[in-house]
Amino acid sequence: MQTSSMELNNLKVLINEKIHNSLIEKYVQVPYLNDDKLYMLTLVLNNTALPDEKKKNYITAAMLVQMALDIHDAVPETNDCLQTDDEVKSKQLSVLAGDYYSSLYYLLLSEVEEVELIRVLATAIKEINEGKMELHYKMNEDSFYISMQLIKKVESLLIIRVAEFTGEKMIRDIAAEWLTIRKLSTARKPSDSGVKEVPLDIWDEHIASKDRQTIETFLNRELRSINHHLVRFPSRLAGLSTELKETLNESLANSRSIAEEG
Amino acid sequence: MKLTKTYGHLKKELDMIEYALADAIQAEHDTLRETSTQLLKAGGKRIRPVFVLLCGQLGEYNAERVTTVAVSLELIHMASLVHDDVIDDAALRRGEPTIKQLYGNRTAMYTGDFILARALENITKLKNPSAHRILSGTMVQVAKGEIEQIRDKYNWNQNLRDYLRRIKRKTALLIAASCKLGAIASNVDEKRAAKLFWYGYYIGMSYQIIDDILDFTASERELGKPAGNDLLQGNVTLPVLLAMQDPSFERQLRETFADPELVTRTSMDNLLDSLKQTDAIAASYRISNQYLQKALKQLDDIPHNKAKHTLQSIAKYIGKRRS
């Protein structure tokens, strides 16, 4: 099972073409098309026997939903921080961009008559928003561990639902841990431009105040959990298992070296 | 007479839709359930469900299918309202505090997304692919229209076509889709379903134009917001576009809004007085009426029955609406 960087780049081009809107791009830091989620989704679909066209449509639709959810998380809680006309426009267009991407996923799946997947994704969106509400109102009340479990669910549910819909089981079982480790190990690493990958995301709110030790402890727990699954991968997926371990080790090594330098 | 009187005989069906709406917004999270329920209780005319029902009654009426469509369209409308209040930073809607005002932007965003998800989840009970293509296409157009509205704010150089395209996307298309989907749910033949689409489209155009007129002519008490509020927000509507054909009004408008942050209530009141001195309001009503006549024309070939008469009554009511 191969997932080449060319395949991922082609998908990114396709998705970016779909969401292109000059006004949104002018005022909104276009939502980060989350590479890790795209990678996981692609792994899920590549581990099925579906025709390529279907795989492409499923990935595109799910990523449109993901971007809609992500950009709505970038809407500030209050308008107190909005000083300029551009900042107000940015907030307004963040709301509208999310609604626009939601309508695009529905349109795409309607055009290819995938009514059942429309339902599956809509149910996932419903559950994710229930989870986000829970997080929003429990902030600082629960332990770090409980918050992290909830974020894990919110962040991976869409991929898990697509995996269940397509009958894929192997990637489904490791998606949440893999995404979590990748996210936590890069959470405090500024991007090359020095800007966060999204204006604000659900992780940052919960981990910004946490010390490295707490995050490390949680990371190790996740690593144990994912390794438990990876060793059970069948031989046909041995290459993939190695690839997944390597990507995790790479991001963990990067994160630890940054922590040591810090 | 109130608009709701024109479709009073639909009470039983509308009650059924109300139950289905209440059921659809049941969330597990307490606050999410509260916010969704608050939106539902805020009411509204349920005009989209009414059009779904009436057009559904022109074919082989199937209560379950028609209710499914009506509920989803109303949920889509509700979701857009709660997000609109975040966009406009609105403290009040119909005189009541908004979700955003009571709970913050985040909760309003999650509530809107939750309700929209429920709308799509619900409509997938319908297995007709063309119904999904119509609704999804409409939703894309509506979203694009909302984005354009942001772009066009305080743009005094736009023309009538820009305005008409904007209200088409903002209002007319969802009403047109309500009519067509109601017809599809009842297996109304394609030709007639197309006529009903255009009926809804023209009604929607007329309705929005009158809404835009009332923003200048109704009282603050009737509107639940100050007169001229649309213009204050930078929305250039038909009465303004028509009034701008008078050079002195255009000059006053540009001077008043030289810096939108500095517009005073007095300068706004003076501007509204000047607008009313022009023929813009009467001319706007004339354009609205042209759309209404087109809407009524679409019903010519529909057999006479109670649903058709109600569709005609709604059109006539909208034409007479003055508050």
Side-chain angles (χ1 to χ4, degrees):
Chain A
M1 188 175 80
Q2 291 296 306
T3 301
S4 66
S5 57
M6 190 200 276
E7 183 184 4
L8 293 172
N9 281 334
N10 289 344
L11 283 163
K12 281 171 91 166
V13 168
L14 177 76
I15 294 162
N16 282 323
E17 275 173 3
K18 273 216 179 291
I19 64 166
H20 170 68
N21 178 287
S22 52
L23 196 72
I24 292 171
E25 284 155 29
K26 182 178 174 186
Y27 288 102
V28 180
Q29 184 187 336
V30 173
Y32 171 76
L33 195 157
N34 189 304
D35 285 338
D36 284 346
K37 287 177 185 171
L38 178 62
Y39 175 65
M40 272 292 117
L41 266 172
T42 310
L43 286 185
V44 164
L45 271 303
N46 283 349
N47 202 23
T48 67
L50 291 167
D52 286 350
E53 195 57 26
K54 255 192 206 286
K55 289 179 187 176
K56 198 171 67 178
N57 287 332
Y58 287 13
I59 293 166
T60 306
M63 282 310 292
L64 286 168
V65 171
Q66 192 59 59
M67 292 167 89
L69 291 163
D70 288 347
I71 200 167
H72 277 175
D73 275 327
V75 174
E77 172 65 345
T78 68
N79 297 326
D80 303 347
C81 57
L82 307 174
Q83 305 295 330
T84 66
D85 187 45
D86 281 5
E87 285 170 346
V88 171
K89 274 203 170 77
S90 173
K91 178 207 72 170
Q92 294 172 325
L93 288 163
S94 295
V95 176
L96 293 174
D99 293 347
Y100 179 46
Y101 304 157
S102 289
S103 67
L104 287 174
Y105 108 78
Y106 182 32
L107 179 67
L108 168 65
L109 293 179
S110 297
E111 283 171 340
V112 294
E113 301 189 5
E114 289 279 2
V115 177
E116 191 50 26
L117 185 56
I118 294 167
R119 189 192 60 76
V120 166
L121 294 183
T123 304
I125 297 167
K126 179 187 75 177
E127 291 170 354
I128 287 166
N129 280 288
E130 290 258 19
K132 284 183 175 182
M133 283 291 276
E134 204 174 326
L135 264 171
H136 186 60
Y137 284 92
K138 274 188 185 299
M139 209 184 281
N140 304 324
E141 279 181 33
D142 278 331
S143 74
F144 175 70
Y145 179 77
I146 292 171
S147 292
M148 284 294 110
Q149 291 302 338
L150 194 50
I151 296 177
K152 251 175 80 175
K153 179 188 161 184
V154 159
E155 287 286 279
S156 61
L157 193 68
L158 199 66
I159 294 162
I160 287 167
R161 290 287 182 263
V162 172
E164 287 165 351
F165 176 72
T166 57
E168 198 287 331
K169 292 187 177 69
M170 305 307 295
I171 311 300
R172 183 201 60 184
D173 288 344
I174 56 104
E177 279 83 10
W178 191 87
L179 286 168
T180 302
I181 296 164
R182 289 276 295 172
K183 182 67 202 186
L184 287 181
S185 57
T186 56
R188 294 188 171 190
K189 194 179 119 196
S191 67
D192 296 340
S193 62
V195 177
K196 276 204 179 296
E197 58 199 22
V198 284
L200 176 71
D201 80 17
I202 211 157
W203 295 94
D204 293 333
E205 291 175 28
H206 291 267
I207 61 176
S209 61
K210 293 292 172 248
D211 58 278
R212 193 74 222 170
Q213 186 54 49
T214 308
I215 294 171
E216 280 286 333
T217 306
F218 187 79
L219 265 172
N220 289 330
R221 194 188 299 218
E222 294 298 291
L223 271 169
R224 280 196 299 278
S225 172
I226 198 168
N227 283 327
H228 172 77
H229 284 291
L230 287 174
V231 294
R232 283 169 171 70
F233 268 30
S235 55
R236 70 180 173 84
L237 295 178
L240 175 64
S241 175
T242 307
E243 186 185 311
L244 287 165
K245 281 179 189 166
E246 279 172 3
T247 51
L248 291 181
N249 290 335
E250 193 184 313
S251 50
L252 285 165
N254 277 341
S255 118
R256 281 163 186 158
S257 73
I258 286 167
E260 282 161 19
E261 284 167 24
Chain B
M1 186 173 81
K2 281 192 156 174
L3 175 62
T4 46
K5 282 261 174 63
T6 59
Y7 50 82
H9 63 285
L10 296 175
K11 188 179 180 320
K12 198 176 75 173
E13 290 87 346
L14 285 169
D15 283 348
M16 205 160 101
I17 286 166
E18 211 62 29
Y19 287 128
L21 281 167
D23 187 48
I25 56 152
Q26 286 312 306
E28 285 176 28
H29 190 273
D30 292 347
T31 310
L32 191 52
R33 199 167 50 249
E34 261 170 50
T35 53
S36 303
T37 305
Q38 185 185 323
L39 271 175
L40 185 67
K41 285 188 173 161
K45 298 182 191 75
R46 302 284 186 253
I47 197 76
R48 291 152 198 82
V50 165
F51 283 123
V52 174
L53 284 170
L54 291 169
C55 294
Q57 289 175 351
L58 296 170
E60 303 156 12
Y61 187 78
N62 176 306
E64 196 180 340
R65 280 206 304 264
V66 169
T67 301
T68 294
V69 172
V71 164
S72 281
L73 279 154
E74 193 62 12
L75 289 173
I76 289 165
H77 174 63
M78 280 166 62
S80 75
L81 293 184
V82 72
H83 282 179
D84 282 353
D85 290 337
V86 175
I87 292 164
D88 299 337
D89 197 17
L92 295 173
R93 177 173 287 278
R94 298 195 193 103
E96 295 294 322
T98 57
I99 305 290
K100 173 217 87 78
Q101 190 64 19
L102 293 171
Y103 300 89
N105 287 341
R106 274 296 171 82
T107 299
M109 293 311 301
Y110 298 155
T111 302
D113 285 347
F114 169 81
I115 291 173
L116 183 61
R118 289 296 290 119
L120 297 190
E121 213 179 6
N122 179 66
I123 198 80
T124 55
K125 290 177 194 166
L126 225 63
K127 301 304 174 199
N128 181 331
S130 86
H132 292 291
R133 276 195 293 273
I134 291 162
L135 184 57
S136 61
T138 301
M139 285 171 68
V140 170
Q141 290 297 315
V142 169
K144 281 182 172 173
E146 294 254 27
I147 292 164
E148 275 177 13
Q149 185 160 313
I150 303 284
R151 185 199 61 198
D152 292 341
K153 279 190 176 195
Y154 302 109
N155 172 12
W156 313 118
N157 299 321
Q158 61 189 285
N159 57 34
L160 188 60
R161 185 185 291 182
D162 295 325
Y163 167 77
L164 294 175
R165 190 176 61 174
R166 208 167 53 241
I167 66 167
K168 170 184 96 173
R169 287 171 156 179
K170 180 181 173 179
T171 306
L173 282 177
L174 203 56
I175 293 178
S178 303
C179 292
K180 189 163 186 180
L181 290 171
I184 285 175
S186 293
N187 301 323
V188 170
D189 70 76
E190 215 166 304
K191 192 171 162 220
R192 203 165 277 170
K195 291 265 189 194
L196 291 167
F197 173 91
W198 286 110
Y199 163 86
Y201 173 84
Y202 293 133
I203 282 282
M205 294 295 281
S206 172
Y207 188 89
Q208 188 56 54
I209 290 169
I210 290 180
D211 237 27
D212 292 342
I213 294 169
L214 293 176
D215 187 62
F216 294 105
T217 58
S219 67
E220 184 166 349
R221 192 180 55 80
E222 288 166 328
L223 290 168
K225 57 187 179 182
N229 193 59
D230 286 346
L231 180 55
L232 206 53
Q233 296 269 345
N235 295 321
V236 184
T237 57
L238 186 60
V240 176
L241 281 169
L242 296 176
M244 279 174 76
Q245 291 169 0
D246 177 336
S248 72
F249 176 83
E250 184 184 354
R251 218 172 16 253
Q252 188 183 350
L253 174 78
R254 287 180 186 274
E255 281 165 12
T256 304
F257 282 93
D259 183 346
E261 296 290 310
L262 302 178
V263 179
T264 62
R265 191 65 247 176
T266 308
S267 64
M268 195 65 199
D269 287 343
N270 290 338
L271 191 66
L272 298 190
D273 286 342
S274 300
L275 183 137
K276 287 171 189 170
Q277 301 300 314
T278 70
D279 184 46
I281 299 293
S284 298
Y285 270 120
R286 283 196 294 274
I287 293 173
S288 164
N289 199 45
Q290 284 169 354
Y291 278 113
L292 278 183
Q293 296 315 311
K294 284 183 169 184
L296 287 165
K297 192 129 189 62
Q298 302 306 311
L299 302 177
D300 283 352
D301 301 332
I302 307 279
H304 287 282
N305 60 27
K306 199 166 176 87
K308 173 180 172 168
H309 294 156
T310 308
L311 289 169
Q312 289 170 323
S313 300
I314 289 173
K316 286 167 187 163
Y317 171 88
I318 286 170
K320 294 191 183 113
R321 201 171 140 227
R322 293 295 182 271
S323 67

